[in-house]
Amino acid sequence: MQSEQPVSRFGEVELADLPEDLRERLTPIAEKTGFLPNIFRALGRRPAELRAFLDYHDALMNSDDGLSKAERELVVVATSGANRCPYCVVAHGAILRIRAKDPRIADHVALDPHGCALEPRQRAIVDLALALCREPERFGEPHLRAARAAGLTDDEIWDVGSITALFAASNRLAHLCALRPNDEFYSLGR
């Protein structure tokens, strides 16, 4: 059952009402999941921005180089939890649960990123993302040394930073829109 709350305080666009190129790009997502994520419905009001968002998102999140796809989602959940973004925590928490094959990891990272039990590599990724997310003006060599000591390459460190930066913007857009998570996300990967 879908929630009665609006998707966005600025309205939304249905898949059928998007420009053809966006319909072609988003239809496979809707078919695979059985629903269209509300972020696409909200950003669909501004097709040029939706295209730019999708391009940057896909370049960072769908790469097979560097971080694994589960590790990329780990960055999103840690960052979104720190930024208190319900939409991104719920949506990317579902993806993290699926990709990590762990029904609890997303909740633990979103609620207690410093205290939750993580593998050393995961810990280094989360710590690096949080350092850049929470106090970016203090980010520097000590954070990079710790990440490298944990085995992260410079390209993987770049991935963590780029994903953290993209989701700083995404989290703020979700707050601006009062974006409601799709109900379907809550049960995925559990």
Side-chain angles (χ1 to χ4, degrees), residues 75-84 126-137 139 160-161 164-165 167-168 171-172:
V75 173
V76 177
V77 172
T79 301
S80 298
N83 289 329
R84 296 186 176 119
V126 167
D127 288 350
L128 185 65
L130 292 175
L132 185 57
C133 173
R134 288 192 168 145
E135 293 187 300
E137 72 280 5
F139 188 85
V160 172
T164 298
F167 279 88
N171 296 160
R172 269 98 185 140

Side-chain angles (χ1 to χ4, degrees), residues 86-160:
Y87 181 86
C88 294
V89 166
V90 171
H92 288 274
I95 299 167
L96 175 57
R97 289 190 300 271
I98 291 166
R99 292 196 169 155
K101 297 175 178 59
D102 182 342
R104 295 177 202 82
I105 189 170
D107 296 334
H108 291 301
V109 169
L111 295 172
D112 187 14
H114 292 295
C116 67
L118 296 170
E119 298 294 324
R121 180 176 167 86
Q122 293 173 322
R123 168 61 48 214
I125 289 167
V126 167
D127 288 350
L128 185 65
L130 292 175
L132 185 57
C133 173
R134 288 192 168 145
E135 293 187 300
E137 72 280 5
R138 294 179 185 231
F139 188 85
E141 285 303 316
H143 302 104
L144 297 174
R145 278 194 299 276
R148 288 179 183 126
L152 295 178
T153 67
D154 282 353
D155 283 340
E156 291 170 332
I157 291 168
W158 186 281
D159 288 342
V160 172

